[in-house]
Amino acid sequence: MVRGILTLRLVAMLNIRKILLPVDFPNTSLRVVHQAAALARHFHSEIVMLHAVTAQSHAAGVPEGGPELAGWDMLAEIISGAEKKRDQSLGPELVGLNIRRVLVKGDPAPAIVQMAEEEKVDLIMMPSHGYTFNQFLLGSVTAKVLHGSECPVWTGAHVEEQVEEDAEESEGPSKVYNPLFLYGGVGVGETQMQAVGHEEQRQPMQEFAIRNVLCAVDLGPRSDEAVSWATTIASEFGARLTLAHVTPSVELWGPGGRYVDQKWKEELVGDASQRIAKLQQDMGIKADVFIGSGDVPKVLSQAVKQTKADLLVTECYPYGGNLRIHGYAIICAAPIPVLSV
């Protein structure tokens, strides 16, 4: 496979100086903490670990207030909880990192947005939903943060945050994806796969690594920002970069069933290819390209599998565009972390 070649002629290198890491307690998303630790160590970032104290927190052992709350060691409790879940690596991963613990009271979503503004953080990292929320929907706190914050938001892989009892789901035979043609070594075409979603097999806790970055672009005014983030992360971690674009469906229904309008497909794909080529030229990069058509979350889920992506970067919130409309569904369908820029 041809690897995307990253040149940084016009792409401004991002500096992730401060990461806001909201944590639930006692049901902390350990995967997101691991990911935040990996980024913080690589970029020498400060982590602001925020917990909004709730009735559930108090029931789990968080002191009500006063000196006891001031002296409560949230980080030690999270590490202890990880060890009870046989995650022995979290403690050593956090050693030496600059982590500031902050406890606030009140509604978590406004508290996160306010903290992000006051601290001028460069990135918010949080799970896609809480353990008490429907596993196939986006959590209300995460949705409010995505909608209300101008700061890029990294959400953990939705399917990996389900309760552990669901891990042993039986799997049926997988469907085969037959790309219409290849471009830069990556499949381009109309996907016929189902969204990965809850059918994706859960992976055991392991060291987080970024080897392949997939960047979904609408080819609108926010594409430069999304590509800049994706390019920087890919460059920093020595990862392959793939740009993905989803056109409207080229399938039509008529006498005899479903068929593909080949002329329409060629026009859409040709136009997208030219615009992506210009985007790369203007930004001084060269990457693999994936062009699909149809249902955006399903196509991007297939692109994730096709490119073996470890991170999906999208230009979802809070701006308009096709990706923004499908932002929540993309996060729920993706079996990997999603960075919404």
Side-chain angles (χ1 to χ4, degrees):
M1 176 176 290
V2 179
R3 295 178 62 85
I5 302 172
L6 302 179
T7 61
L8 301 175
R9 200 170 64 236
L10 296 178
V11 177
M13 296 298 291
L14 299 172
N15 186 10
I16 305 177
R17 296 165 304 222
K18 189 178 294 187
I19 297 171
L20 178 60
L21 178 62
V23 294
D24 195 6
F25 189 85
N27 296 319
T28 305
S29 174
L30 298 180
R31 292 184 186 273
V32 176
V33 179
H34 277 285
Q35 292 159 13
L39 289 187
R41 190 170 300 281
H42 187 90
F43 290 100
H44 307 288
S45 314
E46 177 189 8
I47 294 178
V48 180
M49 184 176 285
L50 172 68
H51 176 62
V53 181
T54 63
Q56 184 184 17
S57 306
H58 294 313
V62 179
E64 292 284 345
E68 290 186 353
L69 180 60
W72 183 69
D73 194 335
M74 174 171 57
L75 185 58
E77 292 293 335
I78 291 174
I79 294 174
S80 175
E83 292 173 348
K84 292 177 182 177
K85 296 178 181 179
R86 300 182 181 180
D87 180 356
Q88 305 297 326
S89 63
L90 183 60
E93 284 184 22
L94 297 176
V95 171
L97 296 179
N98 182 9
I99 303 176
R100 176 156 51 97
R101 285 87 94 185
V102 179
L103 297 175
V104 297
K105 292 185 177 181
D107 191 347
I112 294 169
V113 174
Q114 181 178 350
M115 182 66 64
E117 294 176 352
E118 291 178 353
E119 291 287 338
K120 295 180 173 57
V121 303
D122 302 291
L123 179 64
I124 301 172
M125 300 183 70
M126 61 191 302
S128 62
H129 67 101
Y131 278 80
T132 58
F133 202 79
N134 188 315
Q135 64 191 30
F136 302 119
L137 299 176
L138 195 69
S140 59
V141 173
T142 306
K144 290 176 182 177
V145 172
L146 281 165
H147 185 75
S149 176
E150 293 277 344
C151 179
V153 179
W154 174 301
T155 47
H158 191 76
V159 295
E160 290 180 345
E161 294 163 4
Q162 297 176 16
V163 290
E164 292 298 324
E165 296 88 76
D166 294 335
E168 300 300 328
E169 283 191 72
S170 59
E171 294 184 5
S174 60
K175 298 183 181 180
V176 177
Y177 174 65
N178 182 22
L180 296 178
F181 60 95
L182 299 179
Y183 180 26
V186 181
V188 183
E190 181 90 8
T191 182
Q192 298 186 11
M193 295 279 295
Q194 295 298 317
V196 177
H198 62 283
E199 295 176 0
E200 189 71 19
Q201 186 178 22
R202 181 175 330 199
Q203 298 297 318
M205 192 72 71
Q206 55 187 326
E207 183 179 356
F208 179 66
I210 300 178
R211 303 179 185 89
N212 298 284
V213 176
L214 180 68
C215 181
V217 292
D218 239 354
L219 300 175
R222 289 289 293 176
S223 293
D224 288 4
E225 184 77 9
V227 173
S228 182
W229 270 87
T231 301
T232 297
I233 292 175
S235 178
E236 287 286 334
F237 288 91
R240 185 189 66 183
L241 174 64
T242 302
L243 302 183
H245 179 71
V246 183
T247 72
S249 176
V250 295
E251 288 190 341
L252 301 174
W253 287 89
R258 184 177 60 183
Y259 66 97
V260 174
D261 187 323
Q262 292 294 334
K263 183 178 179 181
W264 189 17
K265 176 182 74 68
E266 291 173 4
E267 290 178 354
L268 289 176
V269 172
D271 177 68
S273 298
Q274 291 179 8
R275 295 171 68 188
I276 291 176
K278 186 177 186 306
L279 175 65
Q280 294 195 71
Q281 182 180 8
D282 291 345
M283 298 193 68
I285 66 170
K286 184 173 177 58
D288 291 340
V289 175
F290 180 105
I291 301 176
S293 58
D295 184 277
V296 174
K298 290 183 180 181
V299 173
L300 289 180
S301 292
Q302 180 53 44
V304 166
K305 296 183 69 176
Q306 184 82 5
T307 62
K308 296 182 173 60
D310 304 295
L311 173 67
L312 171 60
V313 181
T314 76
E315 46 179 289
C316 290
Y317 262 95
Y319 300 90
N322 197 33
L323 291 174
R324 186 268 188 199
I325 294 171
H326 297 283
Y328 293 161
I330 291 170
I331 293 172
C332 291
I336 59 173
V338 176
L339 173 56
S340 302
V341 176

